[in-house]
Amino acid sequence: MRARNPMLIAALAALVTIPACVRTSEPQVVKPRTDGPRRAIKRPPPERPLSRRAKQAFRKVRADLRRTLAEVSKRGGRWKPAECAKVARAFGRLARENAREARAVAQAQFNRGVAWSRCGEHKRARAAYEASLKAVRTYAPALVNLAQLDARAGRRAAAFAGFMKAFRADPDNLDVNYNLAVVFQRRARGRDVAPPALVKYWEGLRFKPESAFDLAELHLRMVMARASAGKTLRHATLNLKAYSLLALLYFERSTRRKHASKLMLAKLVLKEALKVLERPDVKGRFCRSPARPRPVDRAVAVLRNITGLIPVSYT
């Protein structure tokens, strides 16, 4: 997740032109109420790979659902209740058939939760994510999606705690890092304080964050570095979202703190982001259907909104 990530800056729609193929909506804002736990973050040991039997089971389920997923794709990712139930049943059956392999159960229950989420069945989705964590308590994708459900319900402290648990479980997870960046980008607007646990983690990597602004920048740069190396549309989408948020972070700092250098950085980030749209794996793959925008379409819309807010020209 993919799990849906809480997006930002719909308020900018009033300032600039939005591409005709996308409608933006008000984001779910996650603002932590505390500085977070102080316990040091340690990189977890490598995960055990799935067994051959479990891999074959997942391949069979994907093959069985190929036609259903193709129909969903034709509708721009819009799911029907019957399709959500069908996919959820398939992965629930897979979890039962591989009950002796915890990793397979966690992955299957996670996919089951995602299927229910697609149709807004958040209670069923939560139950599936909790079943995933019962099998593997540090399964980061399930932790991220549970935190996003808490954010959607307005439980901000629980959401922040969930993202921190996910970061401890998998510090390299792109969705975890992006969501934490959203948290600290919001926090940098007010009480600009960094949680001690995250400060200590980054200090171990020879960085010295002193504020929420510094943490948001670090998490976004990590997402950009890893997503840029990916070749899938999902990686490109995350990359565009990270570029957009980083440009907004610099722009807000330049206007609030009167830092002219940050405005220059915002412009440089936008120039690099616009180059992403010209990549072979991205070009021509967005805004195909105005009536059915996808995550990449929304990411492009946000990027263009910010481009209208922060002129790229230096003159």
Side-chain angles (χ1 to χ4, degrees):
M1 152 227 200
R2 171 173 79 93
R4 296 173 58 189
N5 288 319
M7 281 298 298
L8 55 150
I9 70 166
L12 296 180
L15 302 176
V16 294
T17 302
I18 301 177
C21 66
V22 180
R23 294 179 60 192
T24 57
S25 57
E26 185 64 29
Q28 298 293 330
V29 179
V30 183
K31 183 178 179 183
R33 297 178 180 174
T34 68
D35 287 339
R38 296 176 178 269
R39 184 162 53 89
I41 297 170
K42 298 180 181 179
R43 192 167 294 278
E47 297 175 344
R48 292 183 60 183
L50 292 176
S51 67
R52 181 181 298 179
R53 178 177 179 274
K55 289 180 180 178
Q56 290 174 347
F58 275 99
R59 280 196 293 267
K60 184 177 184 304
V61 168
R62 284 195 294 267
D64 293 342
L65 297 174
R66 187 171 299 162
R67 180 175 297 180
T68 299
L69 298 178
E71 290 296 322
V72 171
S73 180
K74 288 179 181 178
R75 293 194 299 272
R78 290 184 299 177
W79 291 66
K80 295 180 179 179
E83 293 168 338
C84 294
K86 180 179 178 180
V87 174
R89 283 196 302 269
F91 281 109
R93 186 166 56 251
L94 191 154
R96 292 191 297 273
E97 292 172 353
N98 293 270
R100 294 184 179 181
E101 189 172 342
R103 177 73 181 177
V105 172
Q107 191 169 327
Q109 291 287 4
F110 168 76
N111 281 285
R112 178 168 164 259
V114 170
W116 286 126
S117 291
R118 299 302 188 197
C119 289
E121 295 281 354
H122 299 308
K123 288 185 178 180
R124 290 180 171 181
R126 177 177 288 276
Y129 296 143
E130 289 173 349
S132 175
L133 293 173
K134 188 175 180 180
V136 179
R137 63 185 180 86
T138 57
Y139 191 59
L143 288 168
V144 172
N145 284 20
L146 272 178
Q148 289 177 348
L149 288 178
D150 286 329
R152 180 185 294 274
R155 295 187 287 270
R156 298 175 179 178
F160 179 61
F163 288 132
M164 288 296 294
K165 285 181 183 178
F167 188 74
R168 284 194 172 88
D170 186 3
D172 295 330
N173 186 287
L174 298 184
D175 292 318
V176 173
N177 279 275
Y178 179 79
N179 278 283
L180 283 175
V182 173
V183 170
F184 294 122
Q185 182 258 349
R186 296 285 180 173
R187 177 180 268 197
R189 296 174 177 174
R191 185 165 151 269
D192 196 4
V193 179
L198 281 173
V199 171
K200 189 171 183 179
Y201 170 81
W202 285 108
E203 285 177 345
L205 298 178
R206 299 186 179 181
F207 293 97
K208 294 185 178 180
E210 297 178 352
S211 63
F213 173 89
D214 294 339
L215 284 175
E217 183 182 29
L218 284 171
H219 285 288
L220 285 172
R221 289 194 175 279
M222 200 282 267
V223 172
M224 290 159 58
R226 293 184 178 274
S228 296
K231 298 300 181 183
T232 67
L233 194 59
R234 176 181 174 275
H235 283 107
T237 303
L238 263 176
N239 204 15
L240 289 170
K241 289 166 62 177
Y243 270 115
S244 299
L245 188 57
L246 185 60
L248 184 63
L249 181 73
Y250 287 147
F251 176 71
E252 289 181 341
R253 182 52 58 104
S254 73
T255 56
R256 292 172 184 271
R257 303 287 181 91
K258 307 301 180 183
H259 289 174
S261 61
K262 291 295 187 289
L263 181 58
M264 184 69 73
L265 282 173
K267 293 177 178 179
L268 288 172
V269 168
L270 281 179
K271 280 196 168 184
E272 291 301 313
L274 293 174
K275 292 179 182 178
V276 176
L277 298 181
E278 299 301 317
R279 282 173 38 178
D281 58 328
V282 180
K283 191 173 183 179
R285 298 181 68 182
F286 52 87
C287 287
R288 287 181 174 178
S289 174
R292 298 191 292 270
R294 298 162 300 160
V296 67
D297 302 325
R298 296 186 179 94
V300 172
V302 170
L303 175 62
R304 288 179 174 166
N305 281 342
I306 299 175
T307 303
L309 183 68
I310 312 171
V312 175
S313 173
Y314 291 102
T315 59

